[in-house]
Every structure is written in C-alpha cells, then in structure tokens.
C-alpha cells in the first residue's frame, strides 16, 4: 500500500466521523452517558455502511476506466462535503412536512433527541438510531474508496475505529470542558475535509 493510499484511508476515516466528534461533545456537555456497547454499535454501523458502499463502488469500477471512477468518486465526495456545509442552513428553514432524511439530519443537529427516554444514558436501541444518522458520511467515504480502488476493508476499519475513538474522546472532552461550540465546528471541518479529499484525488 502506498503512503498516499494510507493517508487517504485515514483521511476518509477521520472525515466520515467528525460528526461523531460534534455529537460526542454535545453529549458530554449535557452529561449524557455513552456506554461502550452503544459506542461499539455505532462504530459497527459506520463500518458496515462503509463496507457495503465500498464493495458497491468496487463493483462499478470493474467495468469503467480508472479516470472515470476517480471523477465519479470526486463528484460524490465533494457533493457530500458541500451538503454537510449547507445542511445546517437548510435545516433552519421551516418545512410543512418532516421526511425521514430530515429527521436524521435534525438528529445530528440536536443529538440529545436520540436519548428518547431522557435517561441520560444512550441505550442500545437509541444507539442504532444515532448510528444510522452518523453513517451517512460513511456511505460516501466507502463509495469513494471503492470506486477509486482504495482498499475497502482497510477503509471500513478506519471508519469504524475513528467512529469509536472520536465519540468516546469527545464525549469526555465535552463533559470536562463544556466546549459546546466546538461541536458545531466539527461539522464544518468534516465538510471541508471531504471536499479537500475529493480535489486531492484529481490533482
């Protein structure tokens, strides 16, 4: 594996999980406990989402030239990066109906809603709902890895590992320092990093 491929795999792992950092900080600030098994469930969902989308990207890449695959991967990951940046502003606009996708996005903006029973602890069923919402970026990262012929398994492991680490560390950081504003900035950094990865693949 080349040094660039390794850096790309790590970058996708980090970028796919910066929302986890924001959620972890928000939970820490609100004193909502995330048990290790709930964190592991969220990490596994992100791993699985990355793997499935990565294998799908790999399948597509087998019948098209490499440069086309790189172009598609770049468009997808930059598009997701832009979406991550603009979504908080879109969500501020009132809408007559709330779709399931809007519900997942709202959950990322207000992660405390995942604690539906207000127990101040994230149960296993609640972690599944939150994990699905957090896995949206992982889908794009996995597809990008597969279609640009990065190692899908290593990328999936990277996403799952960073999911577990960032959520745990940032929950502790948020609880200790009450750094709520940093949680909102994590989403911006995530979008910018995804866009950077996309442009870096083309040049």
């Amino acid at each position: 594996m080349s040094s660039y491929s390794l850096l790309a795999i790590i970058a996708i792992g980090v970028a796919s999980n910066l929302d986890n950092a924001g959620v972890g900080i928000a939970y820490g600030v609100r004193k909502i406990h995330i048990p290790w098994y709930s964190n592991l469930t969220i990490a596994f969902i992100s791993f699985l989402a990355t793997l499935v989308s990565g294998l799908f990207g790999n399948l597509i890449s087998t019948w098209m030239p490499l440069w086309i695959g790189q172009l598609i991967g770049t468009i997808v990951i930059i598009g997701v990066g832009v979406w991550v940046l603009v979504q908080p502003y879109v969500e501020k606009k009132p809408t007559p109906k709330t779709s399931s996708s809007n519900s997942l996005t709202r959950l990322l903006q207000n992660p405390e809603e995942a604690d539906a029973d207000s127990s101040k602890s994230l149960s296993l069923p609640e972690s599944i709902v939150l994990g699905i919402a957090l896995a949206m970026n992982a889908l794009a990262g996995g597809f990008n890895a597969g279609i640009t012929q990065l190692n899908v398994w290593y990328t999936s492991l990277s996403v799952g590992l960073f999911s577990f680490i960032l959520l745990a560390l940032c929950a502790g950081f948020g609880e200790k320092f009450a750094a709520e504003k940093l949680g909102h900035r994590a989403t911006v950094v995530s979008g910018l990093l995804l866009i950077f990865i996309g442009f870096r693949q083309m040049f």
Side-chain angles (χ1 to χ4, degrees), residues 6-18 20 50 138 141 154-163 166 193-194 197:
L6 180 60
L7 287 174
I9 287 171
I10 292 173
I12 289 174
V14 172
S16 298
N17 289 297
L18 283 175
N20 293 46
T50 307
Y154 286 159
T155 303
S156 302
L157 287 172
S158 174
V159 170
L161 182 62
F162 278 109
S163 171
L166 286 175
L193 188 52
L194 288 170
I197 293 170

Side-chain angles (χ1 to χ4, degrees), residues 158-176:
S158 174
V159 170
L161 182 62
F162 278 109
S163 171
F164 189 89
I165 291 173
L166 286 175
L167 189 56
L169 287 181
C170 291
F173 181 80
E175 183 176 1
K176 187 173 182 180

Side-chain angles (χ1 to χ4, degrees), residues 10-189:
I10 292 173
I12 289 174
V14 172
S16 298
N17 289 297
L18 283 175
D19 275 345
N20 293 46
V23 169
I25 290 172
Y27 272 48
V29 168
R30 293 164 177 79
K31 310 295 184 184
I32 299 175
H33 177 58
I34 306 174
W36 68 267
Y37 53 84
S38 293
N39 193 359
L40 187 62
T41 300
I42 292 170
F44 178 73
I45 292 173
S46 292
F47 165 82
L48 195 61
T50 307
L51 182 62
V52 170
S53 60
L55 292 175
F56 178 68
N58 255 343
L59 181 64
I60 293 177
S61 71
T62 58
W63 51 267
M64 66 174 55
L66 179 59
W67 72 270
I68 294 180
Q70 289 178 330
L71 179 62
I72 293 174
T74 297
I75 292 171
V76 168
I77 205 163
I78 289 177
V80 171
V82 172
W83 181 83
V84 168
L85 289 176
V86 304
Q87 193 64 25
Y89 303 100
V90 174
E91 284 296 304
K92 290 179 181 178
K93 298 178 180 179
T95 53
K97 293 184 179 179
T98 303
S99 67
S100 58
S101 63
N102 284 339
S103 297
L104 292 177
T105 304
R106 192 183 70 250
L107 188 59
L108 295 182
Q109 297 298 316
N110 304 283
E112 66 277 5
E113 291 183 10
D115 183 24
D117 57 6
S118 300
S119 63
K120 291 295 181 179
S121 181
L122 195 67
S123 68
L124 194 58
E126 290 168 347
S127 71
I128 293 174
V129 176
L130 183 59
I132 293 172
L134 288 170
M136 295 298 103
N137 287 352
L139 288 172
F143 180 78
N144 177 270
I147 205 165
T148 57
Q149 298 181 3
L150 287 174
N151 188 297
V152 173
W153 285 96
Y154 286 159
T155 303
S156 302
L157 287 172
S158 174
V159 170
L161 182 62
F162 278 109
S163 171
F164 189 89
I165 291 173
L166 286 175
L167 189 56
L169 287 181
C170 291
F173 181 80
E175 183 176 1
K176 187 173 182 180
F177 298 103
E180 188 172 8
K181 290 183 179 179
L182 292 178
H184 300 296
R185 292 175 185 171
T187 300
V188 176
V189 175

